[in-house]
Amino acid sequence: MEQSQPNVGLFIPCYVDQFYPQVGKATLEILEKLNCKVSYPLDQTCCGQPLANSGYERETKESCQQFLNSFLKFDYIVAPTGSCVHHIKERYSKILNAPELQPSLNSKIFELTEFLHDILKVELQGTFRHKIGYHASCHALRGLRLSKSSEVNTAPFDKVKSLFEKVEGLEWSQLQRSDECCGFGGTFSVKEEAISLSMGKDRLADHHEAGTEILTATDMSCLMHLKGLADKKQSTLPIMHLAEIINQIIS
Amino acid sequence: MSHSKASTDFLRNTEHAKWHDETLWMIREKRDLASQKVPEWENLRTLASSIKEHVLSNLDQLLLEFEANATKNGIQVHWAKDAQEHNQIVLDILKKQSCAQVVKSKSILTEECHLNPFLEKNGIEVIDTDLGERIVQFLHQPPSHIVLPAIHLKKRDISELFHQKLQTEKGNEDPYYLTQAARTHLREKFLKAKVAITGVNFGIAETGEFVVCTNEGNADMGVHLADVHIACMGIEKLIPRRNDLGVFLRLLARSATGQAITNYTSHFRGPEKGKQIHLILVDNGRTEQLGREKFRNSLKCIRCGACMNTCPIYRRSGGFSYQSTVPGPIGSILSPGLDLKKYSSLPFASTLCGSCTDVCPVKINIHEQLYEWRQEITKANPNHAEILSMKLASGIFKSPLAYRISGILMRKLIKNLPDSLIYNPWNVWGKGRKLPETPQESFRNWYLNHRNNEQ
Ligand code: SF4
């Protein structure tokens, strides 16, 4: 652990705030247990990604600014989502036409497991006796490059899974298609409903065959979609956000 | 028809849709294996992308160099600013040869220009000689994939079609048998044709030669038997030097089908004695695309089709759902440049998962361009209801207070309304998926109650 206590601003995406408060809590608790000084700025709103991905990026300038006002003061900004983090990191300086922002975004904002891996350099110790199905959320995978995507032929690496290397009893499901998209895609999930459902069903089937006991991901949005599908089919598929698993392990 | 409507139709036949997805995924896996055998794969991609970058930045000079060298070699070079000019040039050459029947090997460009219907209207019979293309031609369909034109059809469909068109045995689905029948049929056409049309995979500025890659050898068969060869080439198909060719050949077939190289890689440098080669350089919107800073990279495409095979949406919606000559991810960033209104649903037919970008051998940032086209489309085709709701959302997001109130409302709404009454997007969501359960309190409220000592 570093000598000085990192001052972390906690960003909780809007849908996590509203529907999955336990993921927010787990994230906060993990960071606190790992000796961070964590604050949750009360004036935070949505990062603007849903609008931007729908083609209304230009309408999000003020919400980007709002985000920066709430968060730039921290040493680090950490969030339990790859998708929003990717949006903020990759697009804000362009949206605001402020290239000078980029270096501080690069050094400050992290998805939770990325922060644990890159900055806190955590090696989780403990036990978690389950077969985990890890869904590699696309924006964490190909956007933030948390692990090597199956298309690219570089040396393999996986920041997420490497956190768990020392955890006892934990087994990862071996999937037929290791990183195919779940079909959520924000408004895609309703605009292209048929394909979205078909993609989700295929992911679930892959996990089912692989013997997944608990489905997890960096992003609750993918899990919300997959869980919603599974529930509709009355199949019981426990889901846990990575933050919840990690928090259990280090408790 | 929007992409979403077309894909809903496609997915109705679940068994066929599953087969389509799995077949294309298998090709993606072959590509993975083939590319993994080349240790310098990622370097090749970077190199190919930079060479194309150079080409796009110096296109004017390179084209002139190419024209000069090709002309020196005895090739007759023509320039076409659009599809119409291109088609007219082809027709004029055919008329001069008094040719009423022409054989054509695969060329996406001629599809883009709708050459076949144009020639047919002018009394000329066109025989597509690529097996897959001949199959879709029999069915009066466009290709559904740029490398595998008949990938939407199963063996059974082809057997039935050949039974009708080529009098093969009814019910015989043996691929070898069917291919032989097609060969015999095409051979007859090859022998009669005085003019052969081909596409071009690469034009080499330094030497004035051009290269055509096929697996069936049909381009060569056509060209060598005919007196006149017409090659149709998009102006972006240029590479500077012959030395650069190897970079692209190593990437092309591996990305396309997982083969190390296409069965035939034919170089055309100049006409044989007594014969003619005409090369038509076609713009048809390419210069305009080159001028669009965010989208110019799309012109690096070498038409390998890998982005289609990897695309989870393409695999589950089929090529026809895009209703554009080039379907799939690359089609969705090229087509809006040709007709923004007509193709306005295509950039939204994506989750922006980025698999296309990672698979692309020339590193086109396809998914980022999809995102950028979305921005252009909402500017150009205002859908007022949508704009209103987006403005509303943007108002909510920029004001912490409004955001908080809307969050409380949203949770109340979802909690209290039966699934069927929940407002529109949630309504669509709710058809195939359950909504998340609404928790007692939001994270924010929990935080206020439990942690917010210092603020
Ligand atoms: S965009 Fe890239 S992957 Fe797609 S066809 Fe073109 S070269 Fe191949």
Side-chain angles (χ1 to χ4, degrees), chain B residues 95-106:
Chain B
K95 276 193 175 152
K96 230 190 223 155
Q97 301 296 324
S98 329
C99 170
Q101 198 188 47
V102 59
V103 288
K104 178 161 83 67
S105 71
K106 193 150 77 212

Side-chain angles (χ1 to χ4, degrees), chain A residues 10 12 14 17-21 24-25 28-29 32 38-46 48 51-59 62-63 66 87 91 138-139 142 145 149-154 177 180-181 183-185 188-199 202 224-225 228-229 231-232, chain B residues 3-4 7-8 11 21-22 25 28 31 35-36 41-42 310 312-313 315-317 348-355 358-359 371 374-375 378-379 386-387 390-391 393-394 397-400 403-404 407 410-411 414 425 428-434 436-437 439 441-444 446-448 451-452 455:
Chain A
L10 179 63
I12 299 297
C14 38
D17 175 43
Q18 295 298 323
F19 297 123
Y20 303 103
K25 278 183 242 175
L28 173 68
E29 286 170 10
E32 286 176 343
V38 191
S39 318
Y40 171 75
L42 291 168
D43 56 356
Q44 61 182 284
T45 70
C46 169
L51 256 67
N53 281 358
S54 305
Y56 294 91
E57 185 189 83
R58 60 194 173 280
E59 298 289 340
E62 285 170 78
S63 49
Q66 172 62 35
H87 179 69
R91 303 212 183 105
C138 301
H139 294 163
R142 299 191 193 85
R145 301 280 173 204
S149 68
S150 61
E151 298 86 8
V152 170
N153 293 331
T154 50
R177 301 184 186 181
E180 188 171 64
C181 176
F184 172 66
F188 177 88
S189 62
V190 287
K191 277 195 176 162
E192 289 269 9
E193 189 210 6
I195 299 187
S196 174
L197 294 179
S198 155
M199 286 166 71
D202 289 355
M224 171 171 80
H225 164 68
L229 258 166
D231 284 355
K232 197 87 179 180
Chain B
H3 182 272
S4 117
S7 54
T8 308
L11 284 166
D21 166 65
E22 282 170 357
W25 181 256
R28 154 75 209 271
R31 168 266 172 209
S35 67
Q36 283 154 11
W41 183 258
E42 295 303 325
T310 203
I313 283 99
R315 277 188 268 113
R316 290 176 182 80
S317 64
F348 293 92
S350 163
T351 57
L352 306 181
C353 76
S355 180
D358 274 7
V359 92
Y371 173 88
R374 293 179 182 189
Q375 314 305 326
T378 56
K379 271 183 231 165
E386 190 174 66
I387 288 182
M390 291 296 166
K391 282 222 177 345
S394 121
F397 294 162
K398 72 192 177 209
S399 146
Y403 173 71
R404 212 171 313 144
M410 184 162 78
R411 284 172 357 122
I414 290 182
V428 178
W429 174 277
K431 273 195 279 171
R433 284 156 292 213
K434 283 252 180 194
E437 277 174 24
E441 56 180 357
S442 66
F443 172 75
R444 184 194 152 84
W446 174 86
Y447 185 83
L448 279 173
R451 291 301 162 92
N452 193 34
Q455 289 196 22

Side-chain angles (χ1 to χ4, degrees), chain A residues 79-152:
Chain A
T81 160
S83 192
C84 307
V85 167
H86 170 252
H87 179 69
I88 295 161
K89 196 167 177 174
E90 294 303 317
R91 303 212 183 105
Y92 268 28
S93 65
K94 276 177 240 151
I95 295 173
L96 294 171
N97 200 8
E100 69 281 1
L101 256 179
Q102 199 56 52
S104 56
L105 287 175
N106 288 346
S107 62
K108 271 181 201 270
I109 183 155
F110 293 89
E111 181 278 329
L112 172 67
T113 58
E114 184 186 29
F115 184 67
L116 300 187
H117 180 276
D118 289 5
I119 303 298
L120 299 184
K121 306 202 190 318
V122 170
E123 266 191 358
L124 296 170
Q125 311 274 350
T127 320
F128 197 80
R129 297 205 184 280
H130 289 286
K131 192 165 191 184
I132 305 290
Y134 174 58
H135 172 69
S137 300
C138 301
H139 294 163
L141 174 74
R142 299 191 193 85
L144 297 174
R145 301 280 173 204
L146 295 195
S147 45
K148 185 190 89 64
S149 68
S150 61
E151 298 86 8
V152 170

Side-chain angles (χ1 to χ4, degrees), chain B residues 38-207:
Chain B
V38 180
E40 64 272 34
W41 183 258
E42 295 303 325
N43 290 340
L44 280 178
R45 287 177 71 219
T46 309
L47 190 55
S49 190
S50 334
I51 296 170
K52 282 284 182 182
E53 189 73 50
H54 173 82
V55 169
L56 294 179
S57 304
N58 299 279
L59 195 55
D60 51 343
Q61 289 305 317
L62 287 169
L63 278 169
L64 291 175
E65 185 189 340
F66 180 54
E67 180 191 30
N69 288 329
T71 310
K72 234 186 278 164
N73 299 340
I75 295 176
Q76 301 179 45
V77 181
H78 309 257
W79 297 84
K81 84 167 183 301
D82 54 24
Q84 210 185 340
E85 273 193 23
H86 163 265
N87 293 349
Q88 194 58 48
I89 293 168
V90 176
L91 181 64
D92 290 346
I93 299 169
L94 292 174
K95 276 193 175 152
K96 230 190 223 155
Q97 301 296 324
S98 329
C99 170
Q101 198 188 47
V102 59
V103 288
K104 178 161 83 67
S105 71
K106 193 150 77 212
S107 148
I108 318 290
L109 176 63
T110 59
E111 290 293 330
E112 175 189 321
C113 295
H114 303 292
L115 178 67
N116 287 17
F118 173 83
L119 291 181
E120 277 153 19
K121 229 187 284 155
N122 284 281
I124 288 162
E125 190 194 355
V126 187
I127 294 115
D128 282 323
T129 59
D130 173 274
L131 180 56
E133 288 218 319
R134 187 64 179 150
I135 291 168
V136 292
Q137 193 180 31
F138 276 145
L139 289 166
H140 305 288
Q141 287 177 343
S144 71
H145 185 293
I146 58 176
V147 173
L148 312 154
I151 194 67
H152 57 291
L153 299 169
K154 297 181 85 161
K155 258 190 312 197
R156 195 186 319 135
D157 307 321
I158 293 161
S159 163
E160 184 53 37
L161 178 72
F162 278 15
H163 172 63
Q164 284 167 25
K165 297 283 180 182
L166 305 177
Q167 290 76 49
T168 55
E169 246 169 64
K170 193 167 176 63
N172 191 334
E173 294 178 15
D174 177 37
Y176 181 77
Y177 169 73
L178 295 174
T179 313
Q180 282 309 317
R183 283 184 154 224
T184 315
H185 157 74
L186 286 170
R187 188 130 314 178
E188 199 189 303
K189 306 287 182 188
F190 278 128
L191 287 168
K192 277 198 228 148
K194 287 204 291 196
V195 179
I197 300 176
T198 72
V200 170
N201 289 89
F202 304 99
I204 304 173
E206 173 192 49
T207 58

Side-chain angles (χ1 to χ4, degrees), chain B residues 146 300-308 330 356 359-362 364 366:
Chain B
I146 58 176
K300 293 181 178 178
C301 176
I302 56 171
R303 300 289 192 269
C304 72
C307 57
M308 290 157 212
I330 180 65
C356 47
V359 92
C360 176
V362 288
I364 301 171
I366 305 174

